[in-house]
Amino acid sequence: MRSLAPTSAPTSLDTLKGNAASTLEQEKARLRKATQEFEAFFRYQMMKAMRKTVPENPLTKGLPMSSSQGKETFMDLMDMEISRAGAGGHGSISDILYRSTVKLIEAKYADSGQVDPDAVSKLPTATVKRIPVSLKPKQIELPKEVKPVELEAEPEIAPLKPRTTPSHDKIMEKYGNLIEAAAAETKLDSTLIASVIHAESRGNAKAVSHAGAKGLMQLMDATAEDLGVTDSLDPEQNIMGGSRFLKKLIDRYQDVELALAAYNAGPGNVDKYGGLPPFAETQNYVTKVMALFEEATKSPKVP
């Protein structure tokens, strides 16, 4: 069978065997290209086999490109272009291959400290160290009986100290309605969601990290897709998707600190080390979020 390209020219599959790309997104793009090239070649072979079943038209004899070699060359070129144009659609062979393989690439990059975008429901259950943490704010204990006091004049009532820190105030002022809606759906404390937003993006809805994480809660594209988020830079979609992902992690590990570690470093690393991964970035992240949460949930005091 005649080759469509010189045997010395590297194909997309040959290129994929080389050194990995410097970023996760570049590596995923290489994988997408290779799977599409594979599908195109597969389609080309099918079309070539089908054309052999079509009888030759005697009326084309003597016309330009009617010779066996010329006709074969023209048909091969046309079949390959048609095959490439039809490859890569949703639910296609290349799409199925990409989705089944991209998880391996994401898991590889997760070992380097990037967030693992794999859906939590697809990961195996692992035994990890569990440290229970209460999400309920502390309550003010009031005396059972309060004796009335007669005052000559109505005194000035000093305002209570705010429940949240200034950083939380700014985030809640701008995105409070969206955070409360996400908290109501996921049954999470809205202050915890605001703490994660502050640690991830400091309230910048347009933030994009060097690893490709986007928006207020820094969602990777694959994670956002699994959560039904179509636009990670949209505050409403981002907060709801990030809160759902955090809820899944808390339900999985039954521990807030381990859930935060998995949110930052990926569930694969939490399972691998049987607890908090030994990454300085992840440990600092968990400490920061917990400090923000605890500070914001302190009981208000009267001066």
Side-chain angles (χ1 to χ4, degrees), residues 13-218:
L13 294 175
D14 294 329
T15 304
L16 189 64
K17 296 178 182 178
N19 296 330
S22 58
T23 66
L24 174 60
E25 294 304 316
Q26 291 176 356
E27 188 70 4
K28 288 166 70 175
R30 293 201 315 145
L31 176 61
R32 177 72 75 180
K33 177 63 177 177
T35 54
Q36 290 177 352
E37 193 70 15
F38 174 81
E39 181 183 358
F41 183 75
F42 180 76
R43 286 170 173 261
Y44 162 75
Q45 292 295 336
M46 290 184 62
M47 293 181 67
K48 191 173 183 67
M50 291 171 62
R51 287 192 183 280
K52 290 182 179 181
T53 65
V54 180
E56 186 172 350
N57 187 353
L59 298 178
T60 62
K61 186 176 181 179
L63 295 177
M65 299 298 290
S66 63
S67 65
S68 177
Q69 182 177 1
K71 178 179 180 181
E72 180 182 358
T73 301
F74 175 78
M75 297 304 295
D76 278 349
L77 291 174
M78 184 176 70
D79 287 349
M80 196 61 197
E81 290 304 315
I82 294 175
S83 299
R84 285 198 176 101
H90 181 71
S92 63
I93 295 175
S94 63
D95 185 53
I96 295 172
L97 287 174
Y98 174 82
R99 288 177 175 273
S100 63
T101 310
V102 71
K103 302 301 180 182
L104 300 176
I105 295 177
E106 290 170 343
K108 175 182 176 182
Y109 276 78
D111 289 337
S112 64
Q114 294 187 27
V115 174
D116 186 354
D118 193 16
V120 178
S121 59
K122 300 178 184 177
L123 295 174
T125 304
T127 302
V128 297
K129 179 182 177 182
R130 295 177 177 177
I131 306 173
V133 176
S134 175
L135 295 179
K136 296 182 178 179
K138 298 177 181 179
Q139 303 295 325
I140 304 174
E141 294 185 3
L142 298 176
K144 296 181 179 179
E145 296 183 1
V146 179
K147 296 181 180 181
V149 178
E150 295 182 1
L151 300 176
E152 294 181 358
E154 183 178 354
E156 291 186 7
I157 301 177
L160 296 178
K161 291 183 178 179
R163 178 176 180 268
T164 56
T165 60
S167 59
H168 281 75
D169 283 339
K170 183 177 180 181
I171 291 174
M172 292 298 293
E173 179 181 357
K174 192 170 185 178
Y175 305 108
N177 292 337
L178 302 180
I179 293 173
E180 292 295 344
E185 178 182 306
T186 60
K187 309 303 181 185
L188 292 177
D189 192 313
S190 59
T191 308
L192 179 62
I193 298 175
S195 298
V196 172
I197 292 175
H198 177 69
E200 288 288 348
S201 65
R202 300 184 68 85
N204 181 6
K206 303 300 182 183
V208 179
S209 73
H210 67 279
K214 300 175 182 176
L216 292 168
M217 300 188 76
Q218 290 290 277

Side-chain angles (χ1 to χ4, degrees), residues 116 118-121 123-133 245-277:
D116 186 354
D118 193 16
V120 178
S121 59
L123 295 174
T125 304
T127 302
V128 297
K129 179 182 177 182
R130 295 177 177 177
I131 306 173
V133 176
F245 185 49
L246 180 60
K247 172 63 173 176
K248 288 182 180 180
L249 294 173
I250 292 176
D251 289 344
R252 173 180 171 80
Y253 295 109
Q254 294 297 303
D255 181 87
V256 176
E257 292 186 356
L258 291 182
L260 291 172
Y263 194 98
N264 176 261
N269 281 315
V270 174
D271 296 344
K272 176 180 178 181
Y273 294 101
L276 192 65

